[in-house]
Amino acid sequence: LRAARGHGPVNLPITRWGHGPRHAVLLHGFAGDARAWSHLAPQLASRWTADCVDLPGHGRAPAPTTREALLAAVQALLRPDSLLVGYSQGGRVALAAALGRPIAGIVLESANAGLTRGREARRAADGALAARLRAEGIDAFVDAWERVPVLDGLRHLPEADRAALRARRLEQRPDGLARALEVYGQGAMPSLWRRLAEVRAPVLLLSGARDRRYTAVAARLARRLPDATHERIAGAGHTPHLEAPEAWLAAVRAFSDRLP
């Protein structure tokens, strides 16, 4: 792996790997960073040249300022031949950044197009979590985050993988994560359900079969997007790229190879 610098409006830090013909931009989930994808590099390096982003407030990236600046920074990394990959929070960002963009394809893993109901309640919950992050620090947050029911599948990872994931989370900055919640958390992001027709690229929707909530969301997205395929990853929950990497790789490689 080697570090590079993105040249978007907020100068997103990038970790680049691979030497393949397909350009890919990868966006991690909340409390992650560019290293979330590093275990996939050996299998994809000959196919992709991958720019793995530290989203604002995460990893080496400064705290976010506005959603508009974030989306402009991601869009500045995209080319017409790019594959844009986003997981969970990164999937929401990817979808928003892709609206109307001429790119080759999009992979959305465990992602939503936004809340159509309960957005204010979620904004309040995200604000409360941001306040706890600032008051209690990263250790208390990680202890609680590891008990969130939607992430239950991660408890079944090998011990070494769970330890590495926990170590990466403990390296995050409390105020950076708090600002990420406030600026582009699920409660802050506007609903994109009425704008899905603006997505011009083919989309692969991935969900873990054990994650009933996001599997239902992916099925709904598949019906509303102009060109979408939904694949359920057996044996996985909310994080298939970690819980079932071989199945994730098979689905994404097949999709990527079909793109022009």
Side-chain angles (χ1 to χ4, degrees), residues 3-196:
R5 298 294 292 182
H7 297 288
V10 293
N11 200 28
L12 294 176
I14 304 297
T15 297
R16 179 171 295 161
W17 47 255
H19 50 83
R22 171 66 63 195
H23 178 246
V25 175
L26 284 73
L27 309 180
H28 60 79
F30 181 67
D33 57 36
R35 295 172 294 176
W37 311 101
S38 60
H39 64 295
L40 304 172
Q43 294 89 347
L44 290 172
S46 64
R47 295 168 179 257
W48 290 5
T49 298
D51 289 337
C52 303
V53 175
D54 282 344
L55 289 170
H58 299 75
R60 301 161 292 165
T65 53
T66 65
R67 290 190 302 277
E68 292 76 15
L70 164 60
L71 296 180
V74 172
Q75 289 168 343
L77 300 173
L78 300 175
R79 311 184 321 215
D81 64 337
S82 295
L83 175 64
L84 179 58
V85 181
Y87 159 67
S88 197
Q89 184 182 62
R92 294 195 300 274
V93 173
L95 184 59
L99 293 175
R101 305 296 295 188
I103 60 176
I106 307 164
V107 177
L108 301 178
E109 176 188 354
S110 302
N112 200 338
L115 298 175
T116 54
R117 294 180 296 177
R119 187 178 170 205
E120 289 305 316
R122 180 57 185 261
R123 189 198 299 268
D126 285 349
L129 178 55
R132 290 199 301 273
L133 269 160
R134 293 186 174 105
E136 299 174 8
I138 196 66
D139 290 64
F141 162 76
V142 171
D143 287 342
W145 192 247
E146 290 180 339
R147 297 192 295 270
V148 172
V150 74
L151 299 177
D152 183 66
L154 294 174
R155 300 177 193 174
H156 305 293
L157 293 178
E159 183 176 353
D161 294 343
R162 284 188 284 112
L165 179 59
R166 178 178 175 83
R168 291 199 300 269
R169 287 171 172 164
L170 288 169
E171 291 176 9
Q172 304 303 320
R173 307 181 311 279
D175 188 63
L177 296 185
R179 283 296 295 154
L181 285 167
E182 293 164 346
V183 174
Y184 64 102
Q186 188 151 222
M189 292 287 280
S191 171
L192 300 177
W193 286 100
R194 294 185 178 181
R195 300 187 62 187
L196 295 179

Side-chain angles (χ1 to χ4, degrees), residues 21 160 166 171 219 238 248 259:
R166 178 178 175 83
E171 291 176 9
H238 191 66
W248 188 96
L259 300 176

Side-chain angles (χ1 to χ4, degrees), residues 195-220:
R195 300 187 62 187
L196 295 179
E198 298 175 38
V199 177
R200 298 165 56 182
V203 180
L204 173 63
L205 301 158
L206 297 176
S207 64
R210 292 180 177 175
D211 185 355
R212 295 183 179 179
R213 176 184 173 189
Y214 279 86
T215 291
V217 170
R220 184 183 172 201

